[in-house]
């Protein structure tokens, strides 16, 4: 049984797994061709939404990598973005001269990633690439492109596979459209 707040499942666990395996192959190819310093890429996962995607990504990714995480919030916990990113957890290692791959769950307005990209370049990163599981191009408020994306989605509020509504529903094993009409009077 699907969660009762699900309006429609967009991508099943199997579909996601298959797509992530294609993506990681493509990305590993890119890095193999680019002769990175120590043949290593630094993956930076954006918590908390990246967790299921990052785990799946790491399982399939066949290239030397280091992993780090940041918490950057721009959502106020509901279904609308606040538009002012804030770093709540910073990196523990230097990004100077590193090749970075940001691992994100979904790009909507683009504001969060634009902010992080500028921040990491300011800290001396050599190259910053972005992989996102989901891309909502219609939501853009700023010009920002992912270098790789799993799936393009419509401008709807999504839940599951890391995506939350007020910190809940991240544990659904699929990506789904949320039935937002039910949220207002929802009893958890
Ligand atoms: P942006 O700065 O608007 O691109 O915000 C991206 C962040 O907002 C993502 O990393 C998600 O955490 C969150 N987000 C965007 N769209 C959704 C959605 O449909 N459901 C849940 N979270 C979302
Ligand atoms: Mg996120």
């Amino acid at each position: 049984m699907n969660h009762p707040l699900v309006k429609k499942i967009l991508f099943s666990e199997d579909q996601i797994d298959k797509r992530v395996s294609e993506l990681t192959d493509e990305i590993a190819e890119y890095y193999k061709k680019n002769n990175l310093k120590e043949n290593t890429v630094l993956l930076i996962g954006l918590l908390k939404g990246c967790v299921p995607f990052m785990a799946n990504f790491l399982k399939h990714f066949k290239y030397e990598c280091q992993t780090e995480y940041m918490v950057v919030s721009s959502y106020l916990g509901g279904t609308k973005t606040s538009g002012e990113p804030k770093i709540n957890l910073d990196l523990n290692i230097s990004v100077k001269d590193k090749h970075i791959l940001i691992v994100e769950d979904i790009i909507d307005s683009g504001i969060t990633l634009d902010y992080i990209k500028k921040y990491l370049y300011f800290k001396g990163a050599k190259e910053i690439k972005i992989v996102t599981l989901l891309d909502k191009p219609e939501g853009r408020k700023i010009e920002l492109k992912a270098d790789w994306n799993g799936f393009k989605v419509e401008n709807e509020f999504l839940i599951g596979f890391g995506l939350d509504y007020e910190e809940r529903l991240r544990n659904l094993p699929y990506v789904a459209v949320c039935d937002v009409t039910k949220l207002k009077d929802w009893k958890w």
Side-chain angles (χ1 to χ4, degrees):
M1 244 283 275
N2 300 331
H3 193 284
L5 282 170
V6 165
K7 188 159 143 195
K8 186 180 162 209
I9 294 190
L10 292 184
F11 309 109
S12 69
E13 211 172 348
D14 283 353
Q15 279 174 298
I16 296 169
D17 195 66
K18 191 159 166 275
R19 183 69 187 118
V20 173
S21 138
E22 290 170 1
L23 271 180
T24 47
D25 286 354
E26 218 181 285
I27 294 171
E29 276 312 307
Y30 169 80
Y31 285 118
K32 276 175 204 158
K33 285 193 191 123
N34 274 272
N35 288 322
L36 308 199
K37 192 175 156 197
E38 297 181 333
N39 297 306
T40 302
V41 59
L42 172 61
L43 307 182
I44 300 182
L46 302 186
L47 294 173
K48 304 169 212 170
C50 77
V51 172
F53 178 42
M54 183 77 157
N56 205 328
F57 192 96
L58 289 172
K59 185 178 80 174
H60 290 291
F61 191 48
K62 293 186 182 63
Y63 190 83
E64 294 300 331
C65 61
Q66 295 175 311
T67 57
E68 269 288 317
Y69 297 89
M70 290 176 81
V71 176
V72 184
S73 57
S74 67
Y75 262 48
L76 289 175
T79 60
K80 293 261 168 1
T81 178
S82 75
E84 288 160 41
K86 187 170 159 256
I87 296 176
N88 298 327
L89 175 78
D90 209 342
L91 300 166
N92 286 312
I93 60 172
S94 164
V95 297
K96 191 149 176 38
D97 298 329
K98 292 207 170 155
H99 287 258
I100 291 173
L101 177 63
I102 299 177
V103 182
E104 173 67 306
D105 51 0
I106 184 165
I107 308 179
D108 184 9
S109 70
I111 291 170
T112 313
L113 278 175
D114 181 66
Y115 178 83
I116 296 174
K117 253 183 120 168
K118 285 180 182 146
Y119 176 77
L120 295 173
Y121 274 128
F122 174 76
K123 294 265 180 178
K126 182 171 174 122
E127 178 196 57
I128 302 172
K129 294 278 177 188
I130 296 171
V131 59
T132 185
L133 179 63
L134 305 163
D135 192 350
K136 255 190 212 174
E138 280 170 48
R140 281 305 188 286
K141 293 190 180 134
I142 220 167
E143 190 172 319
L144 184 119
K145 281 207 173 72
D147 297 279
W148 296 277
N149 76 80
F151 305 98
K152 287 233 170 17
V153 294
E154 315 259 301
N155 208 356
E156 294 175 296
F157 189 67
L158 308 180
I159 48 174
F161 210 79
L163 300 172
D164 72 305
Y165 172 71
E166 295 185 343
E167 298 303 331
R168 298 173 187 263
L169 306 169
R170 293 191 198 273
N171 56 325
L172 307 182
Y174 43 78
V175 173
V177 178
C178 179
D179 188 345
V180 288
T181 59
K182 291 183 185 166
L183 282 176
K184 200 169 143 281
D185 303 307
W186 190 254
K187 297 275 174 287
W188 296 101

